[in-house]
């Protein structure tokens, strides 16, 4: 990330330094200009101008910076470098590649004033043109491709800010990102390198209703609370309830073309886990390294708070860029609460009027600006692409009534509520099925019906009904005990137990169970449903509920998740369930 041009304007002088907030006098600046602060040239952004005092939030550690030092204005907004090389990269909050920084400075993370371009400027990419002289191109059009990674072809686009025109010259072969690949008759030169101001959404033709699921391979998500490609979701949960594991599962298994993972303000060791783990992982659908479709942005809790904001915006801008190429992108942000806390800290240093619990009044607006950049789009070049945004929320003490959770809830359409009690009972993923919801369910049903099974919605509804009934029965059981229930209700509790233990639970750390394709999710449900139907028939035929419950084969339902050959296993299991139950009458 950098300012667009190094057109340095008049210098100012630091007046005061308060953590990440610096004021400067006599700086000729506009809102959101990028400035270089102090002798070390730390990157910051103008957030307030009052008279001749300019307030700056600084994206780097400011200790040791003091009044009297210079502030240089670049006159340009915060931008992100776009081009081949974004994938398989790990950045800090201001798009400085962590591996490059590490070799430049000897250690990652904390060094200041080091600038490095977001993409490699020297590396050559083998560019193949898709236009010839004489063709006419418009903004957003694809002029050629380079193989960015084994998985992803990077489409080189006419920047949305260009006018477009007739192609005059075309260069092919090994070229660096700043070399011109296509020149137009109006003099516009297209390179593989674009810059984009992070706070501005990249333009699109239209936003459409999303109708395809972002398949996650997590049963409770795909089966009960699906998110659409282009959808928004929040995962709120107290510490230790599984936010990070869920986000990692999505980053590994979601069927998006591109993953942008924003680690925002979480503990350093969690991000280190991602940085160490991800490069080792394989994409289950292609067998290629997972990093080949992934861009990581790491702003850990020991990094400056202001950069939490820039890392979120950097992430969503990178996501939009790949969307413009026609890809389905999934962005995970862990955790949006840390970003909100950064807003609170900056706001309080600015002595702004605090809103609820000290958060600034613009918290809701910022969150919705972020999630609004997600969606299923028709791009300006006519292709379709999507950005799905999934944000973790870490409410203090797991209290969902706090402002960040509440404001997020008003915006997102999928809510996966993590639950401390479930986590404590080691029910994972600890997603509370009574509190969670997806507003995409109905619009995604046709896809599941066409691609998995015609009765997908019916099976889901059956499961939801059983789980609802269980929730009601549990209250009674707490008062009078299970044995006081009529036999049919006792049987319902048993069926619900299989739904919870076999279907809703899924072990992220088991090599097979970790990813459950929708076909398997569906078959597992039909197996439990089959048990339900056969068991109720037996009950009607007069078999005592205790005998039904204790049939030997039923616990095999709990082992479907770990089966590779699940189709065969489920078919056999269904037969065995029928056989054993029918022997009882
Ligand atoms: P959070 O990010 O909410 O603090 P984590 O995602 O780190 O919580 O999860 C805490 C622990 O819970 C994990 O270390 C793991 O042991 C367990 N866990 C969470 N989700 C799962 C899952 N799907 N399968 C197995 N274990 C899980």
């Amino acid at each position: 990330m950098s300012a667009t041009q190094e057109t340095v304007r008049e210098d100012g002088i630091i007046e005061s330094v308060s953590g990440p907030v610096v004021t400067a006098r006599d700086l000729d600046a506009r809102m959101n200009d990028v400035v270089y602060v102090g002798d070390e040239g730390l990157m910051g952004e103008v957030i307030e101008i009052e008279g001749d005092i300019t307030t700056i939030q600084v994206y780097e550690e400011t200790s040791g910076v003091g009044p009297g030092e210079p502030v240089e204005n670049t006159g340009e907004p915060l931008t992100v470098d776009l081009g081949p090389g974004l994938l398989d990269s790990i950045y800090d909050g201001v798009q400085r590649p962590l591996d490059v920084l590490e070799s430049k400075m000897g250690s990652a993370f904390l060094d200041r004033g080091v600038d490095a371009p977001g993409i490699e400027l020297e590396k050559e990419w083998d560019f193949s043109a898709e236009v010839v002289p004489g063709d006419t191109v418009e903004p957003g059009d694809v002029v050629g491709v380079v193989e960015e990674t084994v998985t992803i072809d990077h489409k080189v686009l006419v920047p949305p800010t260009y006018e477009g025109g007739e192609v005059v010259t075309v260069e092919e072969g090994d070229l660096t990102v700043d070399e011109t690949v296509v020149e137009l008759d109006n003099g516009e030169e297209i390179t593989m390198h674009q810059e984009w101001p992070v706070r501005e959404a990249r333009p699109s033709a239209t936003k459409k209703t999303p109708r395809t699921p972002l398949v996650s391979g997590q049963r409770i998500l795909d089966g009960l609370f699906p998110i659409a490609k282009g959808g928004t979701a929040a995962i709120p949960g107290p510490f230790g309830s599984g936010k990070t594991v869920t986000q990692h599962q999505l980053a590994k298994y979601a069927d998006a073309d591109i993953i942008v993972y924003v680690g925002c303000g979480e503990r350093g060791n969690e991000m280190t886990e991602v940085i160490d783990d991800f490069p080792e992982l394989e994409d289950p659908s292609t067998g290629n390294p997972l990093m080949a479709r992934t861009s990581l942005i790491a702003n850990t809790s020991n990094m400056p708070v202001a950069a939490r904001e820039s890392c979120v915006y950097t992430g969503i801008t990178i996501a939009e860029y790949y969307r413009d190429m026609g890809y389905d992108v999934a962005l995970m942000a862990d955790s949006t609460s840390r970003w909100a806390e950064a807003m609170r800290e900056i706001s309080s240093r600015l002595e702004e009027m605090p809103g609820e619990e000290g958060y600034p009044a613009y918290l809701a607006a910022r969150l919705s600006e972020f999630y609004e950049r997600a969606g299923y789009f028709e791009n300006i070049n006519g292709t379709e692409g999507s950005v799905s945004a999934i944000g973790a929320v870490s409410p203090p003490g797991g209290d969902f009534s706090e402002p960040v959770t509440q404001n997020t809830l008003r915006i997102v359409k999928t809510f996966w509520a993590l639950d401390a009690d479930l986590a404590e009972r080691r029910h994972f993923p600890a997603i509370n099925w009574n509190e969670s919801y997806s507003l995409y369910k109905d619009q995604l049903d046709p896809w599941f019906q066409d691609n998995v099974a015609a009765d997908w919605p019916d099976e889901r509804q059956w499961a939801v009904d059983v789980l609802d009934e269980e929730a009601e029965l549990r209250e009674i059981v707490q008062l009078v005990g299970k044995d006081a229930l009529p036999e049919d209700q006792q049987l319902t509790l048993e069926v619900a137990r299989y739904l919870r233990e076999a279907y809703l639970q899924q072990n992220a750390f088991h090599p097979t169970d970790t990813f459950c394709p929708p076909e398997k999710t569906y078959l597992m449900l039909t197996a439990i449903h089959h048990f339900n139907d056969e068991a109720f028939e037996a009950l009607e035929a007069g078999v005592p509920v205790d005998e039904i419950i204790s049939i030997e084969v039923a616990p095999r339902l709990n082992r479907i998740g770990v089966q590779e050959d699940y189709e065969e296993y489920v078919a056999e299991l269904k037969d065995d369930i029928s056989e054993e139950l029918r022997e009882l009458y």
Side-chain angles (χ1 to χ4, degrees):
M1 181 179 297
S2 61
T4 319
Q5 279 167 356
E6 304 289 311
T7 47
V8 175
R9 312 207 308 188
E10 212 172 307
D11 279 7
I13 297 292
I14 295 181
E15 177 97 355
S16 71
V17 179
S18 160
V21 176
V22 168
T23 58
R25 182 176 290 284
D26 298 332
L27 186 71
D28 179 12
R30 291 167 305 180
M31 281 295 285
N32 296 332
D33 277 353
V34 167
V35 296
Y36 292 117
V37 175
D39 297 327
E40 286 176 272
L42 309 182
M43 190 186 286
E45 190 182 4
V46 173
I47 54 172
E48 198 176 82
I49 303 170
E50 250 187 71
D52 63 347
I53 297 291
T54 305
T55 308
I56 298 152
Q57 63 176 352
V58 180
Y59 291 133
E60 301 185 70
E61 189 57 53
T62 55
S63 55
V65 178
E69 290 184 38
V71 177
E72 223 180 72
N73 186 13
T74 63
E76 299 291 339
L78 197 62
T79 60
V80 49
D81 288 308
L82 302 169
L86 289 167
L87 300 179
D88 200 5
S89 284
I90 304 173
Y91 296 113
D92 76 354
V94 284
Q95 213 206 357
R96 297 182 303 187
L98 285 178
D99 50 344
V100 175
L101 282 184
E102 200 158 4
S103 58
K104 244 184 172 170
M105 302 295 297
S107 78
F109 299 135
L110 281 170
D111 304 297
R112 309 186 298 180
V114 181
D115 217 347
I119 53 175
E120 272 186 72
L121 301 181
E122 278 97 53
K123 181 169 174 162
E124 291 189 335
W125 299 90
D126 187 7
F127 175 78
S128 330
E130 288 191 355
V131 291
V132 292
D135 286 353
T136 306
V137 292
E138 291 179 19
D141 283 354
V142 178
V143 296
V145 292
V146 296
E147 189 186 306
E148 181 171 3
T149 65
V150 279
T151 343
I152 297 297
D153 279 340
H154 191 107
K155 317 263 169 76
V156 179
L157 309 172
V158 180
T161 49
Y162 276 26
E163 269 176 29
E166 196 184 306
V167 173
V168 195
T169 61
V170 175
E171 284 291 327
E172 285 199 291
D174 291 338
L175 297 160
T176 65
V177 292
D178 283 325
E179 283 177 289
T180 301
V181 290
V182 169
E183 197 179 338
L184 305 183
D185 58 348
N186 61 2
E188 285 176 335
E189 292 178 355
I190 298 160
T191 67
M192 293 182 251
H193 184 187
Q194 296 190 17
E195 290 174 356
W196 191 262
V198 295
R199 290 179 190 278
E200 214 177 285
R202 284 173 65 87
S204 63
T206 48
K207 208 167 179 171
K208 306 178 102 175
T209 307
R211 300 200 183 277
T212 318
L214 181 72
V215 173
S216 66
Q218 311 304 302
R219 282 188 290 277
I220 184 165
L221 306 187
D222 297 338
L224 299 187
F225 312 113
I227 176 175
K229 287 201 168 98
T232 50
I235 316 177
F239 176 75
S241 58
K243 290 180 297 295
T244 308
V245 173
T246 309
Q247 293 275 44
H248 289 194
Q249 289 298 97
L250 288 164
K252 288 179 201 166
Y253 300 119
D255 70 335
D257 301 309
I258 306 282
I259 301 289
V260 179
Y261 194 97
V262 179
C264 175
E266 285 299 307
R267 293 179 309 260
N269 56 353
E270 275 179 11
M271 212 52 217
T272 317
E273 208 180 288
V274 177
I275 292 169
D276 289 345
D277 267 11
F278 273 48
E280 311 265 300
L281 296 171
E282 276 183 9
D283 183 340
S285 55
T286 59
N288 293 329
L290 209 58
M291 281 302 288
R293 64 162 191 174
T294 306
S295 191
L296 290 177
I297 300 157
N299 182 265
T300 50
S301 52
N302 56 345
M303 294 183 179
V305 293
R308 291 182 194 168
E309 176 146 313
S310 61
C311 76
V312 169
Y313 285 108
T314 300
I316 197 95
T317 309
I318 291 175
E320 285 173 340
Y321 177 60
Y322 283 95
R323 171 208 74 189
D324 287 347
M325 297 178 205
Y327 288 122
D328 292 310
V329 186
L331 177 137
M332 282 103 213
D334 183 14
S335 140
T336 56
S337 295
R338 305 282 166 257
W339 167 32
E341 284 160 16
M343 283 186 226
R344 178 165 66 183
E345 180 173 339
I346 305 275
S347 169
S348 95
R349 286 183 197 268
L350 292 176
E351 295 174 3
E352 291 172 339
M353 176 87 81
E356 245 181 307
E357 292 189 22
Y359 288 104
Y362 47 79
L363 170 71
R366 288 281 168 86
L367 288 171
S368 74
E369 266 166 39
F370 164 70
Y371 283 109
E372 264 166 28
R373 287 172 74 170
Y376 195 96
F377 293 90
E378 186 181 323
N379 295 320
I380 54 173
N381 59 16
T383 60
E384 291 186 354
S386 66
V387 174
S388 313
I390 300 154
V393 186
S394 346
D399 171 14
F400 289 177
S401 68
E402 59 86 43
V404 184
T405 313
Q406 284 303 311
N407 281 303
T408 306
L409 262 179
R410 279 183 212 122
I411 304 162
V412 299
K413 296 208 165 138
T414 318
F415 185 63
W416 299 322
L418 290 169
D419 186 312
D421 287 343
L422 289 174
E424 205 165 292
R425 280 189 266 141
R426 311 288 306 158
H427 173 115
F428 288 119
I431 295 171
N432 184 313
W433 52 93
N434 295 313
E435 281 183 44
S436 300
Y437 59 77
S438 164
L439 301 181
Y440 298 110
K441 233 171 32 201
D442 296 340
Q443 75 208 51
L444 298 178
D445 275 345
W447 187 93
F448 283 111
Q449 290 178 288
D450 291 348
N451 291 277
V452 188
D455 61 348
W456 175 277
D458 308 325
E459 286 296 330
R460 178 187 60 222
Q461 195 53 49
W462 170 76
V464 168
D465 291 344
V466 173
L467 291 166
D468 282 351
E469 196 178 341
E470 184 198 35
E472 283 170 26
L473 291 177
R474 278 185 167 216
E475 288 176 21
I476 304 174
V477 169
Q478 276 181 351
L479 294 175
V480 299
K482 193 171 171 178
D483 295 336
L485 290 181
E487 291 206 314
D488 60 333
Q489 294 184 341
Q490 290 187 37
L491 192 51
T492 299
L493 286 180
E494 181 71 359
V495 174
R497 188 174 67 81
Y498 281 118
L499 281 176
R500 281 188 286 109
E501 292 179 0
Y503 186 71
L504 298 181
Q505 287 195 30
Q506 186 173 352
N507 185 353
F509 303 109
H510 185 281
T512 306
D513 199 25
T514 185
F515 173 76
C516 189
E519 294 73 19
K520 187 174 176 182
T521 294
Y522 168 76
L523 276 183
M524 187 185 290
L525 202 47
T526 64
I528 302 169
H529 199 163
H530 179 80
F531 167 71
N532 172 86
D533 292 353
E534 291 282 349
F536 273 96
E537 255 179 59
L539 193 68
E540 258 165 48
V543 184
V545 70
D546 289 340
E547 271 184 49
I548 297 172
I549 287 175
S550 45
I551 61 165
E552 245 169 55
V553 293
R556 272 163 49 195
L557 288 166
N558 283 336
R559 300 202 46 80
I560 301 172
V562 299
Q563 303 305 317
E564 289 273 356
D565 293 324
Y566 57 89
E567 281 166 332
E568 206 177 306
Y569 183 91
V570 167
E572 236 172 70
L573 178 55
K574 283 181 176 170
D575 286 347
D576 292 349
I577 286 171
S578 302
E579 200 176 315
E580 202 181 338
L581 281 171
R582 285 173 195 201
E583 273 170 14
L584 299 176
Y585 58 97

